[in-house]
Amino acid sequence: QEMNLKSKEQRFEEAAKIRDQIEALSVMAQSSGRFSRKDALEDLKNLLQLAKLPERIEAFDISDISGKEATGSMVSFYKGLPYKNNYRRFRIKTIQSIDDYKMLAEVIQRRYSRLIRENLAFPDLVLIDGGKAHLLTAEREMNKLGIRIPLASIAKDRENIYIKNKINPIRLDSDIPALNLIRRIRDEAHRFALAYHHILRRKKTIGK
């Protein structure tokens, strides 16, 4: 509540400090829970039938409130914790209409074409905020680039998990380690995208 109040008062530096404190407390809480980060990663590996432990995960979200100042975000997690040096923001460049799928396609293309161009390592898993259609959109763009990265998406409504080559979603108990980890990553991607969206809206409104 205090963070939101300071943000409304445009005291953004103070709000950011509170946000960082909340995130630090969240990490502490996660590490002291019933399941360790390794438990969550092992559970996720088994759930998605991955060949290796998904130590490096990249997650994408699109923010396009009212179709204005559309943005995309990518957050990176390493061994179950946020790796903020590898976070990326994308201002949508090629899409003018309200179309989450085309915006996601642009962001996926820009991210992984750059990794190819710079000969950088790919993540062990890519997570998309969305349903089956979002998953297929990301898969199609990766296929165009000729890359094969394990891919999953989580739908907002019932938190169903979709994976490549599987028609029906995976429905999980709310307390299993894999779902808790996916939720944390999804929520962080959403927070990061929304924060950038607000920055762009504020710049457009007040010119700063």
Side-chain angles (χ1 to χ4, degrees):
Q1 290 174 340
E2 184 179 356
M3 179 185 69
N4 290 335
L5 178 62
K6 292 188 183 299
S7 180
K8 289 178 181 178
E9 294 173 348
Q10 298 191 357
R11 296 160 66 182
F12 298 112
E13 291 186 5
E14 294 177 45
K17 288 180 181 179
I18 296 172
R19 179 204 64 208
D20 292 342
Q21 291 172 343
I22 292 171
E23 290 178 356
L25 289 170
S26 177
V27 169
M28 290 171 63
Q30 293 166 16
S31 64
S32 61
R34 290 191 298 122
F35 303 109
S36 69
R37 296 193 302 274
K38 187 174 181 181
D39 288 337
L41 291 172
E42 288 282 1
D43 195 34
L44 187 58
K45 174 180 178 290
N46 295 332
L47 174 72
L48 303 182
Q49 301 178 353
L50 303 176
K52 59 181 292 189
L53 201 67
E55 291 188 335
R56 295 182 61 246
I57 301 173
E58 293 184 352
F60 294 85
D61 186 35
I62 300 295
S63 179
D64 61 342
I65 300 174
S66 301
K68 298 178 180 178
E69 305 299 334
T71 66
S73 76
M74 188 210 81
V75 299
S76 177
F77 274 58
Y78 180 64
K79 294 186 176 180
L81 290 176
Y83 180 46
K84 294 194 175 183
N85 287 344
N86 203 36
Y87 281 23
R88 296 292 182 269
R89 290 166 169 167
F90 302 86
R91 188 168 185 173
I92 302 301
K93 297 178 178 179
T94 63
I95 311 302
Q96 303 301 321
S97 59
I98 304 176
D99 192 324
D100 274 7
Y101 305 114
K102 289 182 179 179
M103 292 176 187
L104 176 62
E106 177 186 322
V107 170
I108 291 291
Q109 195 279 333
R110 286 166 60 185
R111 171 59 178 169
Y112 295 112
S113 63
R114 179 175 181 178
L115 293 192
I116 293 171
R117 188 166 60 250
E118 298 181 2
N119 197 28
L120 298 175
F122 294 113
D124 302 316
L125 174 66
V126 171
L127 181 63
I128 306 296
D129 180 26
K132 184 69 173 181
H134 291 86
L135 178 85
L136 294 175
T137 296
E139 182 179 8
R140 184 165 54 248
E141 290 305 308
M142 290 181 182
N143 288 340
K144 289 179 183 177
L145 294 169
I147 58 177
R148 299 289 183 269
I149 306 174
L151 184 63
S153 67
I154 176 169
K156 290 183 175 68
D157 49 2
R158 298 182 180 179
E159 296 193 320
N160 291 330
I161 309 297
Y162 294 89
I163 60 175
K164 294 170 60 175
N165 303 320
K166 187 176 178 66
I167 297 176
N168 296 321
I170 301 171
R171 296 180 174 88
L172 302 175
D173 181 84
S174 61
D175 196 36
I176 72 166
L179 180 57
N180 290 334
L181 176 59
I182 289 174
R183 281 173 172 161
R184 291 203 303 272
I185 297 172
R186 184 269 315 275
D187 291 347
E188 175 67 357
H190 182 67
R191 180 202 66 79
F192 191 55
L194 198 59
Y196 185 41
H197 179 86
H198 286 164
I199 289 172
L200 294 179
R201 291 289 297 274
R202 187 172 67 250
K203 285 182 177 180
K204 186 174 182 179
T205 301
I206 64 178
K208 295 182 180 180

